[in-house]
């Protein structure tokens, strides 16, 4: 009997009732093949499936579990808040406390509004930028993912300077044509687009560290030029830090790269694993939001007391600053080990990392953009993924996702991961 027989039965049944058997596509393992396991529980750096198999978890529910799963401080905060009710639909003090915490952590945020997902945060920031500037045009970069709102499910047009095409059924061409898409790190294309269309752009939105096509980094000068061009053309710069915010440090990627965006989007970590999103930045822009200004944005569960309590508990656990130092050390440890065992096995792996976020591409590096990332040998990645999973290590089920280390990953957990990888690389 398969070691994951119960998961397989649950998945077969789920396929009859839930599209693709999942509530978010990446969970279906389509990029790596096979059947997803069903989680029974998770504790610290480990997740346990319904068949009783336990895995060292490097997905961390796609970023929120920076303190590991079921961190006592977060569980306690949720339990305590829940005894006083689960939702009020009227201001509660935790919302103000959370706003102050975000502002204290991210200097570019003068005002902030909470919502319920990263998608809502970026969708609202785009609408706000359009309302503030009176312009319709948006620029994003290929390989960057900002959630599934219509204006952002757009792929590059035929030429780099033509406007976008829908990247999903159901997105009207009329929406997509307002969104230009360029290769990340391509200064020449960027300058060309701003020459032609700069005055029509309401905003540029980017992952400062793109981590939805694996993980690659901005080239020296790219962000500085982007900031200059947007300032000169009156275009707002939106940093999508839904994954990097509070993951790479107290002020996320923008602090590391010295970038001062006009707006930033957050999610994941600030909800401690509960549904949350946030967007914030310059007060003169944020005050365009209803009920003060003409840009409408709302949400029944926005600022939910349980999500705020969980997020505050996560914040407090991180604020000592020790966590990010530990995460950097763990990231370095895992990187050194994985690079060594791949080299020893003669397997070409390009390991890219920043802090506790990483991706091992199965191709020669460096990887600077989506085109480079697409050179990766995805079938070899899939074999690597399953080899690791069968030996108790759960990596992101796609070559085009980042991995996440938590403060709950011990030195021994990382040593175990490297030992397992040494074995798997031998049979790739
Ligand atoms: P959500 O709507 O999924 O909360 O956030 C959307 C989003 C926005 N911006 C960035 C940079 C993001 O990475 C995301 C979502 N991240 C993916 C993982 N790469 C979520 C996983 C999933 O879609 O199931």
């Amino acid at each position: 009997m398969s070691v994951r027989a119960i998961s397989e039965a649950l998945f077969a049944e789920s396929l009859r009732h839930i599209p693709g058997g999942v509530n978010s596509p990446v969970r279906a393992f389509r990029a790596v093949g096979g059947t997803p396991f069903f989680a029974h529980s998770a504790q610290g750096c480990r997740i346990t499936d319904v068949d009783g198999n336990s895995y060292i978890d490097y997905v961390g529910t796609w970023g929120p579990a920076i303190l590991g799963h079921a961190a006592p401080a977060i569980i306690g905060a949720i339990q305590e808040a829940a005894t006083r009710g689960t939702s009020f639909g009227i201001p509660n003090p935790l919302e103000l406390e959370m706003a102050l915490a975000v502002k204290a952590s991210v200097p570019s945020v003068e005002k902030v509004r909470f919502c319920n997902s990263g998608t809502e945060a970026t969708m609202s920031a785009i609408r706000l930028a359009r309302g503030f500037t009176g312009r319709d045009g948006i620029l994003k970069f290929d390989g960057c993912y900002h959630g599934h709102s219509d204006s952002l499910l757009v792929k590059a047009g035929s030429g780099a300077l033509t406007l976008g095409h829908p990247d999903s059924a159901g997105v009207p061409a009329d929406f997509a044509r307002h969104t230009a898409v360029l290769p990340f790190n391509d200064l020449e294309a960027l300058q060309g687009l701003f020459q032609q269309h700069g005055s029509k752009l309401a905003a540029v939105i980017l992952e400062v560290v793109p981590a939805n096509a694996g993980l690659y980094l901005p080239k020296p000068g790219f962000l500085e030029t982007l900031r200059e061009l947007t300032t000169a053309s009156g275009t707002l710069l939106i940093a999508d830090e839904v994954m990097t915010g509070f993951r790479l440090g107290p002020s996320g990627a923008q602090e590391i790269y010295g970038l001062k965006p006009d707006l930033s989007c957050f999610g994941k970590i600030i909800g401690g694993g509960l549904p949350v999103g946030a967007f914030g930045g310059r007060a003169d822009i944020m005050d365009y939001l209803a009920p003060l200004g003409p840009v409408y944005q709302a949400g029944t569960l926005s600022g939910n007391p349980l999500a705020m309590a969980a997020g505050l508990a996560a914040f407090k656990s991180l604020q000592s600053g020790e966590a990010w130092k530990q995460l950097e050390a763990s990231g370095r440890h895992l990187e050194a080990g994985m690079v060594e065992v791949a080299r020893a096995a003669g397997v070409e792996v390009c390991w890219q990392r920043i802090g506790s976020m990483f991706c091992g591409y199965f191709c020669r590096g460096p990887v600077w953009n989506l085109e480079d990332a697409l050179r990766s040998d995805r079938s070899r990645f899939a074999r690597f993924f399953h080899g690791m999973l069968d030996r108790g290590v759960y990596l992101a089920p796609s070559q085009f996702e980042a991995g996440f280390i938590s403060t709950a990953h011990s030195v021994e957990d990382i040593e175990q991961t490297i030992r397992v990888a040494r074995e798997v690389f031998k049979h790739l």
Side-chain angles (χ1 to χ4, degrees):
M1 187 163 88
S2 150
V3 289
R4 288 195 277 271
I6 299 173
S7 284
E8 284 161 8
L10 287 172
F11 190 59
E13 182 65 8
S14 298
L15 282 167
R16 298 178 53 234
H17 310 291
I18 303 170
V22 293
N23 287 305
S24 197
V26 70
R27 303 176 188 172
F29 277 22
R30 303 288 284 259
V32 291
T35 303
F37 64 82
F38 277 56
H40 169 267
S41 58
Q43 182 74 41
C45 76
R46 288 179 176 278
I47 192 163
T48 302
D49 69 19
V50 291
D51 292 278
N53 305 300
S54 165
Y55 311 95
I56 300 174
D57 177 13
Y58 287 98
V59 177
T61 180
W62 303 102
I66 191 169
L67 300 170
H69 293 287
I74 291 179
I75 298 298
I78 295 170
Q79 286 172 329
E80 193 283 326
T83 60
R84 289 185 279 115
T86 54
S87 177
F88 305 122
I90 197 156
N92 74 82
L94 291 171
E95 294 168 80
L96 173 57
E97 203 179 334
M98 191 65 177
L100 292 169
V102 170
K103 286 184 60 173
S105 202
V106 189
S108 68
V109 174
E110 295 170 352
K111 285 197 173 177
V112 60
R113 174 162 287 178
F114 296 101
C115 52
N116 300 282
S117 69
T119 293
E120 269 191 64
T122 57
M123 174 182 71
S124 306
I126 293 289
R127 183 181 313 128
L128 177 58
R130 285 172 160 157
F132 180 79
T133 61
R135 302 175 183 178
D136 293 338
I138 297 294
L139 168 62
K140 73 177 286 285
F141 297 96
D142 63 9
C144 288
Y145 174 68
H146 304 290
H148 59 89
S149 65
D150 285 347
S151 293
L152 294 168
L153 283 181
V154 176
K155 61 184 174 224
S158 47
L161 296 190
T162 60
L163 299 185
H165 293 296
D167 198 11
S168 163
V171 174
D174 265 358
F175 268 55
R177 68 182 178 78
H178 292 295
T179 303
V181 183
L182 290 182
F184 191 76
N185 277 325
D186 186 333
L187 273 179
E188 192 182 333
L190 185 66
Q191 284 152 342
L193 183 89
F194 268 87
Q195 231 158 16
Q196 283 205 26
H197 299 292
S199 61
K200 296 186 219 108
L201 291 177
V204 177
I205 185 167
L206 79 159
E207 292 180 72
V208 179
V209 171
N212 280 287
L215 186 136
Y216 39 86
L217 304 176
K219 279 184 178 175
F222 180 70
L223 298 174
E224 294 79 354
T225 304
L226 181 60
R227 183 64 278 185
E228 285 160 18
L229 289 169
T230 47
T231 303
S233 67
T235 301
L236 300 186
L237 185 54
I238 303 174
D240 179 350
E241 297 231 44
V242 167
M243 277 210 285
T244 52
F246 317 105
R247 159 73 51 183
L248 298 182
S251 303
Q254 59 190 267
E255 177 185 41
I256 292 170
Y257 287 97
L259 183 72
K260 191 167 193 301
D262 299 298
L263 294 173
S264 299
C265 301
F266 305 102
K268 299 185 190 258
I269 286 172
I270 61 167
L274 297 192
V276 75
F279 59 106
R282 283 170 37 193
D284 62 322
I285 302 171
M286 293 298 288
D287 284 349
Y288 261 65
L289 282 172
L292 279 184
V295 178
Y296 196 69
Q297 187 276 341
T300 302
L301 296 174
S302 297
N304 174 272
L306 302 195
M308 297 291 102
L312 279 165
F315 254 108
K316 286 171 187 154
S317 303
L318 290 168
Q319 282 321 302
S320 71
E322 287 315 303
W324 290 298
K325 288 187 197 125
Q326 181 197 336
L327 291 169
E328 172 56 29
S330 297
R332 261 204 311 276
H333 180 189
L334 183 66
E335 177 176 11
M338 298 301 265
V339 167
E340 172 46 34
V341 295
R343 193 195 54 71
V347 178
E348 188 155 60
V349 172
C350 165
W351 193 272
Q352 304 201 158
R353 173 187 75 86
I354 181 166
S356 59
M357 297 174 69
F358 63 86
C359 174
Y361 292 104
F362 280 75
C363 65
R364 190 175 328 103
V367 171
W368 288 114
N369 54 38
L370 179 62
E371 187 183 357
D372 291 348
L374 290 170
R375 286 187 291 106
S376 177
D377 180 340
R378 271 157 272 176
S379 57
R380 202 170 207 189
F381 171 82
R383 293 197 301 276
F384 177 65
F385 169 83
H386 282 290
M388 296 294 280
L389 188 69
D390 291 346
R391 292 171 178 79
V393 176
Y394 173 44
L395 299 171
S398 165
Q399 172 69 92
F400 303 122
E401 292 289 353
F404 300 91
I405 304 170
S406 80
T407 55
H409 285 80
S410 68
V411 169
E412 177 44 33
D413 293 317
I414 291 173
E415 281 300 322
Q416 172 62 12
T417 304
I418 296 164
R419 283 194 295 273
V420 168
R422 186 189 309 279
E423 195 51 36
V424 174
F425 275 126
K426 279 183 199 156
H427 305 295
L428 275 190

PDB file of all heavy atoms in Angstrom, residues 24 26 62 117-119 145-147 207 212 240 242-243 268 401, ligand 1:
ATOM      1  N   SER A  24      -6.119  26.094  -4.257  1.00  0.00           N
ATOM      2  CA  SER A  24      -5.149  26.974  -4.912  1.00  0.00           C
ATOM      3  C   SER A  24      -4.303  26.082  -5.817  1.00  0.00           C
ATOM      4  O   SER A  24      -3.804  25.047  -5.347  1.00  0.00           O
ATOM      5  CB  SER A  24      -4.282  27.701  -3.887  1.00  0.00           C
ATOM      6  OG  SER A  24      -3.648  28.813  -4.485  1.00  0.00           O
ATOM      7  N   VAL A  26      -1.347  25.641  -7.194  1.00  0.00           N
ATOM      8  CA  VAL A  26       0.013  25.089  -7.013  1.00  0.00           C
ATOM      9  C   VAL A  26      -0.004  23.856  -6.103  1.00  0.00           C
ATOM     10  O   VAL A  26       0.867  22.994  -6.167  1.00  0.00           O
ATOM     11  CB  VAL A  26       0.979  26.168  -6.472  1.00  0.00           C
ATOM     12  CG1 VAL A  26       0.651  26.531  -5.010  1.00  0.00           C
ATOM     13  CG2 VAL A  26       2.419  25.733  -6.609  1.00  0.00           C
ATOM     14  N   TRP A  62       3.889  28.821   2.227  1.00  0.00           N
ATOM     15  CA  TRP A  62       4.252  29.834   1.214  1.00  0.00           C
ATOM     16  C   TRP A  62       4.697  31.145   1.842  1.00  0.00           C
ATOM     17  O   TRP A  62       4.508  32.215   1.306  1.00  0.00           O
ATOM     18  CB  TRP A  62       3.105  30.052   0.229  1.00  0.00           C
ATOM     19  CG  TRP A  62       2.716  28.781  -0.443  1.00  0.00           C
ATOM     20  CD1 TRP A  62       1.634  28.001  -0.149  1.00  0.00           C
ATOM     21  CD2 TRP A  62       3.438  28.086  -1.463  1.00  0.00           C
ATOM     22  NE1 TRP A  62       1.636  26.865  -0.934  1.00  0.00           N
ATOM     23  CE2 TRP A  62       2.724  26.896  -1.740  1.00  0.00           C
ATOM     24  CE3 TRP A  62       4.614  28.349  -2.161  1.00  0.00           C
ATOM     25  CZ2 TRP A  62       3.165  25.968  -2.694  1.00  0.00           C
ATOM     26  CZ3 TRP A  62       5.050  27.426  -3.112  1.00  0.00           C
ATOM     27  CH2 TRP A  62       4.323  26.258  -3.373  1.00  0.00           C
ATOM     28  N   SER A 117      -5.939  39.405   1.818  1.00  0.00           N
ATOM     29  CA  SER A 117      -5.014  38.564   1.047  1.00  0.00           C
ATOM     30  C   SER A 117      -4.026  39.470   0.321  1.00  0.00           C
ATOM     31  O   SER A 117      -4.254  40.688   0.190  1.00  0.00           O
ATOM     32  CB  SER A 117      -5.789  37.736   0.004  1.00  0.00           C
ATOM     33  OG  SER A 117      -6.302  38.604  -1.019  1.00  0.00           O
ATOM     34  N   GLY A 118      -2.978  38.861  -0.169  1.00  0.00           N
ATOM     35  CA  GLY A 118      -2.013  39.615  -0.964  1.00  0.00           C
ATOM     36  C   GLY A 118      -2.635  40.122  -2.249  1.00  0.00           C
ATOM     37  O   GLY A 118      -2.362  41.232  -2.708  1.00  0.00           O
ATOM     38  N   THR A 119      -3.534  39.292  -2.820  1.00  0.00           N
ATOM     39  CA  THR A 119      -4.236  39.704  -4.048  1.00  0.00           C
ATOM     40  C   THR A 119      -5.021  40.983  -3.811  1.00  0.00           C
ATOM     41  O   THR A 119      -4.971  41.927  -4.604  1.00  0.00           O
ATOM     42  CB  THR A 119      -5.181  38.585  -4.520  1.00  0.00           C
ATOM     43  OG1 THR A 119      -4.402  37.460  -4.939  1.00  0.00           O
ATOM     44  CG2 THR A 119      -6.084  39.043  -5.645  1.00  0.00           C
ATOM     45  N   TYR A 145       4.667  37.623  -9.787  1.00  0.00           N
ATOM     46  CA  TYR A 145       3.260  37.304  -9.538  1.00  0.00           C
ATOM     47  C   TYR A 145       2.775  38.193  -8.396  1.00  0.00           C
ATOM     48  O   TYR A 145       3.462  38.345  -7.380  1.00  0.00           O
ATOM     49  CB  TYR A 145       3.107  35.828  -9.150  1.00  0.00           C
ATOM     50  CG  TYR A 145       1.717  35.418  -8.727  1.00  0.00           C
ATOM     51  CD1 TYR A 145       0.662  35.380  -9.627  1.00  0.00           C
ATOM     52  CD2 TYR A 145       1.462  35.052  -7.400  1.00  0.00           C
ATOM     53  CE1 TYR A 145      -0.612  34.993  -9.235  1.00  0.00           C
ATOM     54  CE2 TYR A 145       0.178  34.660  -7.000  1.00  0.00           C
ATOM     55  CZ  TYR A 145      -0.849  34.633  -7.919  1.00  0.00           C
ATOM     56  OH  TYR A 145      -2.106  34.254  -7.511  1.00  0.00           O
ATOM     57  N   HIS A 146       1.582  38.775  -8.613  1.00  0.00           N
ATOM     58  CA  HIS A 146       1.075  39.723  -7.605  1.00  0.00           C
ATOM     59  C   HIS A 146      -0.330  39.342  -7.182  1.00  0.00           C
ATOM     60  O   HIS A 146      -1.133  40.196  -6.803  1.00  0.00           O
ATOM     61  CB  HIS A 146       1.090  41.144  -8.187  1.00  0.00           C
ATOM     62  CG  HIS A 146       2.427  41.582  -8.691  1.00  0.00           C
ATOM     63  ND1 HIS A 146       3.489  41.854  -7.861  1.00  0.00           N
ATOM     64  CD2 HIS A 146       2.899  41.746  -9.951  1.00  0.00           C
ATOM     65  CE1 HIS A 146       4.550  42.196  -8.588  1.00  0.00           C
ATOM     66  NE2 HIS A 146       4.225  42.144  -9.858  1.00  0.00           N
ATOM     67  N   GLY A 147      -0.673  38.033  -7.279  1.00  0.00           N
ATOM     68  CA  GLY A 147      -2.038  37.634  -6.981  1.00  0.00           C
ATOM     69  C   GLY A 147      -2.853  37.606  -8.268  1.00  0.00           C
ATOM     70  O   GLY A 147      -2.334  37.820  -9.362  1.00  0.00           O
ATOM     71  N   GLU A 207       7.927  42.770  -7.638  1.00  0.00           N
ATOM     72  CA  GLU A 207       8.554  42.085  -6.515  1.00  0.00           C
ATOM     73  C   GLU A 207      10.002  42.564  -6.524  1.00  0.00           C
ATOM     74  O   GLU A 207      10.724  42.329  -7.500  1.00  0.00           O
ATOM     75  CB  GLU A 207       8.526  40.564  -6.717  1.00  0.00           C
ATOM     76  CG  GLU A 207       7.166  39.912  -6.672  1.00  0.00           C
ATOM     77  CD  GLU A 207       7.300  38.398  -6.891  1.00  0.00           C
ATOM     78  OE1 GLU A 207       7.794  37.705  -5.982  1.00  0.00           O
ATOM     79  OE2 GLU A 207       6.943  37.931  -7.979  1.00  0.00           O
ATOM     80  N   ASN A 212       8.521  34.292  -7.579  1.00  0.00           N
ATOM     81  CA  ASN A 212       7.426  33.485  -8.124  1.00  0.00           C
ATOM     82  C   ASN A 212       7.796  32.864  -9.464  1.00  0.00           C
ATOM     83  O   ASN A 212       6.919  32.418 -10.198  1.00  0.00           O
ATOM     84  CB  ASN A 212       6.162  34.349  -8.259  1.00  0.00           C
ATOM     85  CG  ASN A 212       5.455  34.494  -6.928  1.00  0.00           C
ATOM     86  OD1 ASN A 212       4.830  33.552  -6.425  1.00  0.00           O
ATOM     87  ND2 ASN A 212       5.592  35.650  -6.303  1.00  0.00           N
ATOM     88  N   ASP A 240       5.785  45.139  -4.150  1.00  0.00           N
ATOM     89  CA  ASP A 240       4.989  44.011  -3.676  1.00  0.00           C
ATOM     90  C   ASP A 240       5.865  43.177  -2.737  1.00  0.00           C
ATOM     91  O   ASP A 240       6.676  42.366  -3.184  1.00  0.00           O
ATOM     92  CB  ASP A 240       4.501  43.176  -4.853  1.00  0.00           C
ATOM     93  CG  ASP A 240       3.697  41.974  -4.381  1.00  0.00           C
ATOM     94  OD1 ASP A 240       3.691  41.688  -3.162  1.00  0.00           O
ATOM     95  OD2 ASP A 240       3.089  41.304  -5.239  1.00  0.00           O
ATOM     96  N   VAL A 242       4.622  41.136  -0.383  1.00  0.00           N
ATOM     97  CA  VAL A 242       3.753  40.127   0.245  1.00  0.00           C
ATOM     98  C   VAL A 242       4.583  38.954   0.753  1.00  0.00           C
ATOM     99  O   VAL A 242       4.311  38.384   1.810  1.00  0.00           O
ATOM    100  CB  VAL A 242       2.673  39.669  -0.752  1.00  0.00           C
ATOM    101  CG1 VAL A 242       1.950  38.419  -0.275  1.00  0.00           C
ATOM    102  CG2 VAL A 242       1.673  40.789  -1.007  1.00  0.00           C
ATOM    103  N   MET A 243       5.607  38.570   0.025  1.00  0.00           N
ATOM    104  CA  MET A 243       6.462  37.464   0.496  1.00  0.00           C
ATOM    105  C   MET A 243       7.709  37.955   1.223  1.00  0.00           C
ATOM    106  O   MET A 243       8.156  37.357   2.188  1.00  0.00           O
ATOM    107  CB  MET A 243       6.874  36.570  -0.671  1.00  0.00           C
ATOM    108  CG  MET A 243       5.806  35.546  -1.009  1.00  0.00           C
ATOM    109  SD  MET A 243       6.476  34.031  -1.685  1.00  0.00           S
ATOM    110  CE  MET A 243       6.891  34.574  -3.322  1.00  0.00           C
ATOM    111  N   LYS A 268       0.776  37.468   4.295  1.00  0.00           N
ATOM    112  CA  LYS A 268       1.467  36.296   4.849  1.00  0.00           C
ATOM    113  C   LYS A 268       1.932  36.462   6.293  1.00  0.00           C
ATOM    114  O   LYS A 268       1.175  36.269   7.231  1.00  0.00           O
ATOM    115  CB  LYS A 268       2.620  35.915   3.915  1.00  0.00           C
ATOM    116  CG  LYS A 268       2.095  35.556   2.494  1.00  0.00           C
ATOM    117  CD  LYS A 268       3.149  35.071   1.587  1.00  0.00           C
ATOM    118  CE  LYS A 268       2.635  34.957   0.154  1.00  0.00           C
ATOM    119  NZ  LYS A 268       2.310  33.584  -0.236  1.00  0.00           N
ATOM    120  N   GLU A 401       8.934  28.220  -7.764  1.00  0.00           N
ATOM    121  CA  GLU A 401       8.526  28.751  -6.467  1.00  0.00           C
ATOM    122  C   GLU A 401       9.785  28.868  -5.617  1.00  0.00           C
ATOM    123  O   GLU A 401      10.787  28.197  -5.866  1.00  0.00           O
ATOM    124  CB  GLU A 401       7.528  27.807  -5.773  1.00  0.00           C
ATOM    125  CG  GLU A 401       6.173  27.712  -6.452  1.00  0.00           C
ATOM    126  CD  GLU A 401       5.315  28.972  -6.307  1.00  0.00           C
ATOM    127  OE1 GLU A 401       5.715  29.900  -5.555  1.00  0.00           O
ATOM    128  OE2 GLU A 401       4.255  29.038  -6.948  1.00  0.00           O
TER     129      GLU A 401
HETATM  130  P1  LIG B   1      -2.434  35.816  -1.901  1.00  0.00           P
HETATM  131  O1  LIG B   1      -3.619  36.421  -2.601  1.00  0.00           O
HETATM  132  O2  LIG B   1      -2.169  34.393  -2.365  1.00  0.00           O
HETATM  133  O3  LIG B   1      -2.500  35.947  -0.381  1.00  0.00           O
HETATM  134  O4  LIG B   1      -1.131  36.686  -2.303  1.00  0.00           O
HETATM  135  C1  LIG B   1      -0.851  36.874  -3.658  1.00  0.00           C
HETATM  136  C2  LIG B   1       0.613  37.230  -3.813  1.00  0.00           C
HETATM  137  C3  LIG B   1       0.953  38.549  -4.043  1.00  0.00           C
HETATM  138  N1  LIG B   1       2.253  38.929  -4.193  1.00  0.00           N
HETATM  139  C4  LIG B   1       3.252  38.011  -4.116  1.00  0.00           C
HETATM  140  C5  LIG B   1       4.663  38.460  -4.288  1.00  0.00           C
HETATM  141  C6  LIG B   1       2.951  36.653  -3.881  1.00  0.00           C
HETATM  142  O5  LIG B   1       3.958  35.742  -3.820  1.00  0.00           O
HETATM  143  C7  LIG B   1       1.612  36.238  -3.717  1.00  0.00           C
HETATM  144  C8  LIG B   1       1.224  34.800  -3.489  1.00  0.00           C
HETATM  145  N2  LIG B   1       2.291  33.872  -3.334  1.00  0.00           N
HETATM  146  C9  LIG B   1       2.004  32.519  -3.750  1.00  0.00           C
HETATM  147  C10 LIG B   1       3.291  31.702  -3.606  1.00  0.00           C
HETATM  148  N3  LIG B   1       4.258  32.014  -4.593  1.00  0.00           N
HETATM  149  C11 LIG B   1       0.867  31.921  -2.996  1.00  0.00           C
HETATM  150  C12 LIG B   1       0.676  30.427  -3.182  1.00  0.00           C
HETATM  151  C13 LIG B   1      -0.612  30.103  -3.870  1.00  0.00           C
HETATM  152  O6  LIG B   1      -0.975  30.810  -4.835  1.00  0.00           O
HETATM  153  O7  LIG B   1      -1.251  29.128  -3.420  1.00  0.00           O
END
